Amino acid sequence: MGNKIQDKKIEKAIIKYYIELHNMLAYQSKLKYYNENKNKIRIDAEAEIAEIERKIAEIKFKNKHFEEIIDGLEDEEKTYVSLKYECKLSVTQIQDRMFIKERSYYRIRKKLLNYLSEVLCV
């Protein structure tokens, strides 16, 4: 039973990472818009630009360790993580995209969760 709880904690951490990554991309898009249109928008945009830059830096800092962990995974595991947590695909869709059987899917999942459990100390 404890293993399932541990797996859920790890999965929540991965989901949180991808949510924050998505938020960072949104902030970067907003920052690009502000920088391209500084002369056309309100005068106090500089304070908002500084706040957006601060938020981007904060997200990058908070997620640096997790990003390094993801980058260090094997290609098969990276693909799994991307399809499962970034693209939010179902088990069947992941199997189809990766050209794997159900047994391989769960082997990859378990290997990944065990590794993340060790490195994240969950």
Side-chain angles (χ1 to χ4, degrees):
M1 185 63 135
N3 221 9
K4 286 185 180 184
I5 293 171
Q6 184 178 16
D7 290 352
K8 290 291 181 193
K9 285 181 181 180
I10 294 167
E11 289 185 322
K12 282 183 180 183
I14 299 169
I15 291 167
K16 183 179 177 187
Y17 167 75
Y18 278 105
I19 288 170
E20 290 194 353
L21 188 64
H22 178 75
N23 290 341
M24 185 180 68
L25 294 173
Y27 284 129
Q28 288 172 332
S29 176
K30 190 173 185 179
L31 181 62
K32 180 181 176 191
Y33 174 80
Y34 277 148
N35 284 326
E36 289 174 352
N37 297 289
K38 274 185 197 177
N39 300 330
K40 300 175 191 171
I41 54 180
R42 64 184 188 276
I43 297 171
D44 63 342
E46 289 302 322
E48 194 162 347
I49 288 171
E51 178 63 15
I52 292 169
E53 288 173 337
R54 186 194 64 73
K55 287 179 182 179
I56 291 170
E58 181 181 320
I59 291 170
K60 283 182 178 179
F61 179 78
K62 279 177 29 182
N63 290 298
K64 186 67 177 163
H65 177 64
F66 208 88
E67 184 179 320
E68 290 171 354
I69 291 169
I70 298 292
D71 288 344
L73 297 175
E74 295 175 10
D75 289 341
E76 184 178 58
E77 294 166 333
K78 283 183 193 178
T79 302
Y80 170 84
V81 168
S82 176
L83 295 174
K84 174 79 173 163
Y85 301 104
E86 186 175 10
C87 300
K88 299 176 183 155
L89 298 182
S90 69
V91 172
T92 308
Q93 290 171 318
I94 294 170
Q95 290 172 341
D96 290 345
R97 292 265 180 99
M98 293 181 70
F99 304 105
I100 58 174
K101 301 282 185 194
E102 184 176 12
R103 186 174 186 163
S104 294
Y105 170 89
Y106 286 105
R107 177 188 51 78
I108 294 165
R109 179 182 181 275
K110 191 63 184 166
K111 182 180 173 188
L112 173 71
L113 292 175
N114 286 340
Y115 173 72
L116 292 177
S117 173
E118 287 177 27
V119 297
L120 296 174
C121 302
V122 175

